[in-house]
Each structure stands twice: as C-alpha cells, then as structure tokens.
Amino acid sequence: MRILGLDLGTRTLGMALSDETLTIASAYQTIRFDDSCYDMLLDPILKVVQEYDVHKIVLGFPKNMNNTVGERGIVTQDFQRKLESFLNIEVVLQDERLSTVEATHYMVCADVSRKKRKKKIDGLAASIILQTYLDRMKG
C-alpha cells in the first residue's frame, strides 16, 4: 500500500507516490488541465489509486502565511471532499506553505534550466508535501 501526494494548482496537478514502506516520496507525474476544471482530474487520480494500491491521499493545503484560509484553501477543501466521496478513501490536508518555493530552490541549486523547472516543479512540490507528511507520521 502507498500514499499519493497531490499539489493542486489552477491548471496543473502535481502527483507524488510513497514507496511501499511509507518512507520516501517520489515525484510521479504532472497533469495539465483547463483552468479550474477539477472534475476532469478524478478519473486520472482513480487510475493511479487503483494501479498503485493507494490507501490514503495527502493533498497540499495552501494556507496564507498568517495561517488563515484564503480562496485557494477553500477550493482545496472542496476538492478534498470531492475526492473522498469519489474514491472512498481518506484525503488528508497537509500545509504546503512554501513547498513550491522550496522545490524551486532545489532545482536552482541543481542548475536545472527554467524550461525544465516549469515541467517538473509541480511533481517536486507534491513530493515535498508528501515527504513532510511521511516524516511527521514517523515522528
């Protein structure tokens, strides 16, 4: 069994998967979709859940820096409820503040070109979100 990590944007969904020991998160893929058409993400997520025997999803929760929930946070909470209903598995919200900044920093330090960064950033951010959750679970 694995855990799936998601980084939901307005036009992209970054995905990451844990290993079977629930120790390491790895970027899996990025799905591009029409602006705010979140329903079209349900079937591709279902396919990953079934293929990799996913028993839990960790969804990045974009809170404001002052710890309040803004518009993107509300959209994420709505998507969480939709996923739980559609997939019938637990979807946990994980604070994702600065995960994209951290992902960008890693790529800049690794000397990844801007063009390649744009393609990989969402998957890496999902990986950071999931890894944060896995580390917290292990205590």
Side-chain angles (χ1 to χ4, degrees), residues 92-103:
V92 178
L93 294 177
Q94 171 65 47
D95 188 347
E96 70 163 26
R97 283 178 282 188
L98 301 179
S99 62
T100 302
V101 172
E102 187 177 347

Side-chain angles (χ1 to χ4, degrees), residues 65-128:
M65 291 309 288
N66 66 1
N67 207 33
T68 60
V69 178
E71 183 182 333
R72 293 294 312 150
I74 292 167
V75 168
T76 299
Q77 289 171 318
D78 290 343
F79 190 65
Q80 174 196 24
R81 287 187 286 275
K82 192 174 285 196
L83 276 176
E84 285 180 328
S85 174
F86 183 75
L87 300 171
N88 198 31
I89 62 174
E90 182 181 12
V91 179
V92 178
L93 294 177
Q94 171 65 47
D95 188 347
E96 70 163 26
R97 283 178 282 188
L98 301 179
S99 62
T100 302
V101 172
E102 187 177 347
T104 301
H105 176 74
Y106 289 154
M107 290 184 165
V108 168
C109 288
D111 201 27
V112 176
S113 71
R114 281 184 192 264
K115 187 176 181 179
K116 287 183 182 176
R117 265 185 273 167
K118 191 171 181 177
K119 291 180 182 178
K120 301 287 184 183
I121 194 75
D122 299 301
L124 183 55
S127 175
I128 291 167

Side-chain angles (χ1 to χ4, degrees), residues 124-138:
L124 183 55
S127 175
I128 291 167
I129 291 164
L130 179 55
Q131 190 65 56
T132 301
Y133 178 81
L134 294 173
D135 292 346
R136 200 177 86 223
M137 261 183 36
K138 298 275 183 192

Side-chain angles (χ1 to χ4, degrees), residues 10-43:
T10 54
R11 285 183 240 135
T12 58
L13 175 73
M15 302 173 84
L17 281 167
S18 73
D19 63 340
E20 291 181 350
T21 66
L22 306 180
T23 305
I24 299 171
S26 300
Y28 177 67
Q29 77 178 75
T30 299
I31 299 173
R32 301 200 183 288
F33 58 94
D34 294 333
D35 195 20
S36 300
C37 290
Y38 303 113
D39 286 348
M40 70 181 295
L41 297 170
L42 297 176
D43 285 332

